[in-house]
Amino acid sequence: AQRVTQPEKLLSVFKGAPVELKCNYSYSGSPELFWYVQYSRQRLQLLLRHISRESIKGFTADLNKGETSFHLKKPFAQEEDSAMYYCALSIFNKFYFGSGTKLNVKP
Amino acid sequence: DAGITQSPRHKVTETGTPVTLRCHQTENHRYMYWYRQDPGHGLRLIHYSYGVKDTDKGEVSDGYSVSRSKTEDFLLTLESATSSQTSVYFCAIRSDVGNGELFFGEGSRLTVL
């Protein structure tokens, strides 16, 4: 069963435009959610996790338990944000990833 | 980068041959994971380990086995490789303290002809 759904395979925006990468999860317990990013030729790395409620590189994500969503947002996209983004759900130390969204920020 | 390395980084093999991928860490982390990354599927968990000799299956474990005889090494074995196992394989490690972040290796690209 798909536990994490990222409906958009590709998202293209212009520099300076707002961006929202969607993530929905399927889990009845208290979710532990993350966003990971993979820049070109780099390793996958943590972008942010919902528990810390922090903003990293201008990105934020809010957990909406009612809609079972954890969308990633940034008000003004930059070209250096172009990357592959993965939403992940941790259940009892197992991490389940979505299929990923490729963000392309055009100049 | 966290002290995690994968080997080999690239491998081409033929259908039916055994293949072993190695993940080595220098962080002494308890948890280790093997994922495969495929277009349209993202990362899918194959197996993971929560300690020496302690392993469990993930989402796509069929055709794969793992072993962890010491903390620093987590081996992924394809007993008889098939073309459907052509993929990029990622190892990840995680401490059981701190914020629970996964640290990933650079990936191993396996092609099964």
Side-chain angles (χ1 to χ4, degrees):
Chain A
Q2 188 73 24
R3 295 185 185 274
V4 181
T5 304
Q6 293 180 250
E8 304 131 335
K9 290 186 178 180
L10 173 66
L11 189 61
S12 287
V13 300
F14 285 101
K15 175 183 174 182
V19 62
E20 181 180 53
L21 287 78
K22 291 183 168 52
C23 171
N24 288 91
Y25 66 91
S26 175
Y27 181 54
S28 57
S30 293
E32 191 172 357
L33 288 152
F34 305 78
W35 276 99
Y36 280 80
V37 60
Q38 188 176 26
Y39 300 103
S40 180
R41 300 190 188 88
Q42 294 188 26
R43 304 181 188 217
L44 272 146
Q45 57 188 278
L46 178 68
L47 181 61
L48 54 80
R49 62 193 303 246
H50 89 276
I51 287 181
S52 57
R53 299 185 62 81
E54 57 197 342
S55 172
I56 302 293
K57 299 184 180 182
F59 285 97
T60 60
D62 289 320
L63 173 61
N64 186 324
K65 291 188 178 181
E67 296 183 356
T68 60
S69 68
F70 188 55
H71 302 330
L72 184 68
K73 300 177 184 179
K74 185 170 183 177
F76 308 103
Q78 303 299 313
E79 289 181 68
E80 55 265 31
D81 296 329
S82 293
M84 195 75 179
Y85 291 80
Y86 293 97
C87 183
L89 169 67
S90 176
I91 303 174
F92 299 121
N93 297 308
K94 290 186 181 181
F95 284 72
Y96 300 93
F97 285 78
S99 55
T101 298
K102 184 174 183 178
L103 176 63
N104 180 33
V105 181
K106 298 175 282 188
Chain B
D1 291 330
I4 175 172
T5 56
Q6 295 181 226
S7 61
R9 296 288 316 283
H10 301 273
K11 186 171 181 67
V12 179
T13 191
E14 293 188 351
T15 298
T17 59
V19 176
T20 295
L21 305 180
R22 179 183 184 232
C23 178
H24 178 77
Q25 63 150 328
T26 58
E27 305 297 318
N28 204 36
H29 284 350
R30 179 182 175 190
Y31 296 96
M32 299 185 76
Y33 304 79
W34 276 108
Y35 287 89
R36 59 178 290 174
Q37 183 185 45
D38 303 288
H41 293 280
L43 284 91
R44 291 179 291 177
L45 180 63
I46 305 172
H47 282 280
Y48 84 109
S49 170
Y50 47 96
V52 174
K53 291 186 169 51
D54 291 323
T55 64
D56 197 2
K57 295 180 179 180
E59 305 165 272
V60 290
S61 58
D62 288 346
Y64 301 95
S65 63
V66 290
S67 67
R68 191 166 178 201
S69 59
K70 43 186 179 177
T71 300
E72 58 265 36
D73 289 325
F74 192 32
L75 305 180
L76 177 70
T77 297
L78 291 66
E79 301 290 347
S80 179
T82 66
S83 58
S84 64
Q85 293 175 312
T86 292
S87 186
V88 180
Y89 291 85
F90 286 95
C91 177
I93 61 175
R94 174 175 173 260
S95 173
D96 54 354
V97 296
N99 68 3
E101 177 181 352
L102 283 178
F103 293 97
F104 283 86
E106 293 180 285
S108 295
R109 183 174 295 274
L110 175 66
T111 302
V112 184
L113 301 175

